[in-house]
Amino acid sequence: MNSIRIRLFIILLLATGVVWFSAFFWIQQSTRAEVERVLDARLAESGQMVSSLISDRRIDVARGATLVEDQSPHTSGPTAGYSHKLSCQIWSLDGELVGKSGSAPTDSLSGQEPGFSDSLVEGEEWRVYTVINEELGVRVMVGDSHSVRDRLVRDVTTGLVLPALMILPVLAGLIWLSVRSGLRPLDRLAGGLSQRTADDLSAVDEIAMPREIRPVGAALNGLFARVNAQREREKAFTSFAAHELKTPLAGIKTQAQIASMAPDAATRKTALAHIQKGIGRTDRMVRQLLSLAALDGPEVGTTQEVDLSVLIRDVVQDLSRLAAAKNVAISVPDPSPLSVQTDPTLLSVALRNVVENAIAAAPESSEVSILSESTTDSIAISVLDRGPGIAEADRSRITDRFFRGPDASGEGSGLGLAIVETAIKRLGGQLQFAARAGGGEVVRLEVPPSMTCMTRRVYGKADD
């Protein structure tokens, strides 16, 4: 059952029913006790009255039993069932029946003890009050049938139940109207949200909501804020990507026109070299955009055991042509095998972009070093270069998307380190930057111990 309204209605109706039936049971029991008390008092008064009258010689002992019957109401209509039901017997102390009322059985109503008692006479249960008159030597017994008492209690409770049963539908209707009224703020909230356009991410008014619904409003406002921030990031991403792709494409188009109109082979060769360079930059940017889009999506990849030395070797091999074009050597000291429990795709993407940035920043005929180590606290891969390093003013923004410092070369797109940070965060690790002694930069990728096999091994040791 998915409807809150129906669920609340049923819960309230059941709760009301439980209370109602509990009250009915209590009324029934209390009514029975009160009826028993009143009828017992009636029996005692009748018994004492008969004993007193025959003691005062106001009536013959034999006729004393009929006095109780004469005092019973002779009525018609709804109370007719209670007429002539009070019975009386007068027994001598020797056990001889002296007199009885017409409705009384012939067998003794009770035993020998005075006071109240319950007995079974001729298959019917009786409530009896016994008075012993020592002066006259008789025992007066006055009783009424339990069936009469039960009928009286049943009629009283029925008189209470029937009106209550007639009220139940009215009560159910009132509960339904109350539930509808109580849930009306949710209906208004749902109606307001359904009328919004896809671009309307403004906050809902929490103050106007009832206190119980304010957490829903706060959660919706938080969701709207996150969606709006994500949409702004996507818009900025699209705008920056279009701008960054437009520049190399315009350059390629210009160089293609120059090559087509070149008056000599040297000019044509130069134009083709520029075209090749622009295509390479565009290709790198497209790859970076695809990587960033994949990392921004749902969780990808699976954790598995990876030989870190093999992963580093594959990255170095992929970038060997780029390094050779700049006459930059890539050094991986002591590539000892090390098993790592991690996501190979994310770690490879992060390491590739760091090494690619290091090659781009490194001067010609220099070296880029990749050092790896595993400790009880973390596993770390450090990439060291001898480039100009990162300016202190740019360090807080170096991982922003499309950010390029004022001293950056025209080759980069400002996406590499943003990709690295996103991938490392997916791995639950950290990305750290530090200036290298003697010039250059050290970029350190750390993965938490929970994703590594705790094998202590050092690939290489930094020289500074």
Side-chain angles (χ1 to χ4, degrees):
M1 187 180 300
N2 296 323
S3 173
I4 296 179
R5 183 178 286 105
I6 295 177
R7 187 182 296 116
L8 283 176
F9 172 72
I10 292 177
I11 290 173
L12 291 174
L13 194 61
L14 288 176
T16 303
V18 169
V19 173
W20 187 90
F21 281 109
S22 299
F24 168 72
F25 179 77
W26 178 81
I27 290 172
Q28 185 184 41
Q29 296 302 314
S30 61
T31 301
R32 177 178 294 276
E34 186 65 19
V35 168
E36 294 282 352
R37 188 185 67 80
V38 171
L39 294 181
D40 282 351
R42 177 191 176 199
L43 288 177
E45 290 175 358
S46 298
Q48 295 291 346
M49 178 189 68
V50 172
S51 178
S52 176
L53 289 175
I54 62 178
S55 293
D56 294 343
R57 310 295 182 177
R58 298 181 185 179
I59 190 170
D60 184 69
V61 174
R63 289 191 64 251
T66 62
L67 181 64
V68 172
E69 187 175 74
D70 293 339
Q71 295 298 319
S72 299
H74 294 261
T75 58
S76 59
T79 61
Y82 306 113
S83 300
H84 310 293
K85 294 302 180 181
L86 197 63
S87 301
C88 180
Q89 293 177 339
I90 300 177
W91 294 78
S92 69
L93 296 181
D94 295 333
E96 180 184 353
L97 180 62
V98 177
K100 75 179 187 68
S101 62
S103 61
T106 56
D107 294 340
S108 177
L109 286 173
S110 182
Q112 306 300 319
E113 297 299 325
F116 290 102
S117 63
D118 294 291
S119 60
L120 183 65
V121 181
E122 298 178 359
E124 187 174 6
E125 292 184 355
W126 289 80
R127 178 70 168 171
V128 182
Y129 183 78
T130 302
V131 179
I132 297 178
N133 192 321
E134 298 285 352
E135 179 183 352
L136 298 178
V138 295
R139 182 181 291 110
V140 180
M141 299 179 186
V142 181
D144 58 4
S145 172
H146 274 286
S147 62
V148 176
R149 295 188 173 208
D150 292 340
R151 190 189 312 159
L152 179 60
V153 173
R154 184 170 60 250
D155 289 347
V156 171
T157 53
T158 301
L160 296 173
V161 169
L162 290 178
L165 288 176
M166 296 176 64
I167 292 174
L168 274 180
V170 178
L171 184 61
L174 292 175
I175 292 175
W176 177 255
L177 293 176
S178 300
V179 169
R180 286 187 60 185
S181 177
L183 294 178
R184 193 164 294 145
L186 279 177
D187 293 335
R188 288 198 296 267
L189 177 61
L193 293 176
S194 64
Q195 294 176 1
R196 289 191 176 199
T197 63
D199 295 331
D200 187 3
L201 294 176
S202 59
V204 297
D205 187 5
E206 299 178 34
I207 300 177
M209 295 180 179
R211 182 175 57 187
E212 292 78 8
I213 305 180
R214 286 177 189 172
V216 178
L220 282 173
N221 288 338
L223 175 62
F224 290 157
R226 293 192 298 272
V227 171
N228 189 56
Q230 180 65 27
R231 188 173 65 176
E232 292 300 322
R233 284 196 297 269
E234 290 177 354
K235 289 170 62 177
F237 177 84
T238 303
S239 176
F240 284 131
H243 179 270
E244 291 295 328
L245 285 173
K246 181 176 68 175
T247 301
L249 289 176
I252 291 172
K253 180 179 179 180
T254 300
Q255 294 300 326
Q257 292 173 346
I258 292 174
S260 64
M261 297 183 299
D264 52 63
T267 303
R268 187 179 302 108
K269 183 178 180 179
T270 301
L272 291 175
H274 285 298
I275 290 174
Q276 187 175 4
K277 185 176 179 181
I279 291 174
R281 179 185 175 187
T282 304
D283 175 69
R284 180 188 178 194
M285 181 177 295
V286 169
R287 283 189 291 104
Q288 289 180 327
L289 289 173
L290 292 175
S291 297
L292 195 57
L295 292 174
D296 278 340
E299 296 292 335
V300 294
T302 56
T303 299
Q304 64 187 59
E305 190 173 346
V306 179
D307 189 333
L308 193 58
S309 62
V310 175
L311 185 143
I312 294 174
R313 187 182 63 217
D314 290 344
V315 171
V316 171
Q317 184 175 354
D318 289 343
L319 298 176
S320 59
R321 181 173 298 180
L322 178 64
K326 284 198 65 175
N327 195 24
V328 173
I330 302 178
S331 172
V332 185
D334 188 20
S336 302
L338 173 64
S339 295
V340 180
Q341 199 72 21
T342 187
D343 185 333
T345 302
L346 295 179
L347 187 57
S348 178
V349 167
L351 181 59
R352 177 188 176 92
N353 278 275
V354 172
V355 175
E356 195 171 3
N357 278 5
I359 294 173
E364 291 190 9
S365 303
S366 64
E367 182 180 82
V368 172
S369 299
I370 304 176
L371 308 178
S372 304
E373 61 179 339
S374 177
T375 67
T376 55
D377 297 326
S378 66
I379 181 171
I381 304 176
S382 299
V383 179
L384 300 80
D385 65 67
R386 288 296 183 184
I390 302 173
E392 289 298 327
D394 298 335
R395 287 190 180 274
S396 61
R397 301 185 56 198
I398 195 63
T399 56
D400 290 352
R401 299 181 182 187
F402 298 103
F403 175 77
R404 298 170 65 194
D407 299 330
S409 65
E411 302 295 328
S413 61
L415 287 175
L417 293 178
I419 293 173
V420 175
E421 184 181 50
T422 303
I424 291 298
K425 283 184 177 179
R426 283 286 184 91
L427 293 174
Q430 293 182 348
L431 175 62
Q432 299 178 352
F433 301 92
R436 187 181 182 186
E441 192 73 21
V442 179
V443 180
R444 184 180 176 89
L445 310 179
E446 288 189 0
V447 178
S450 59
M451 302 191 68
T452 66
C453 295
M454 302 311 297
T455 305
R456 297 177 62 88
R457 193 182 304 272
V458 178
Y459 287 177
K461 187 175 182 181
D463 57 353
D464 42 41

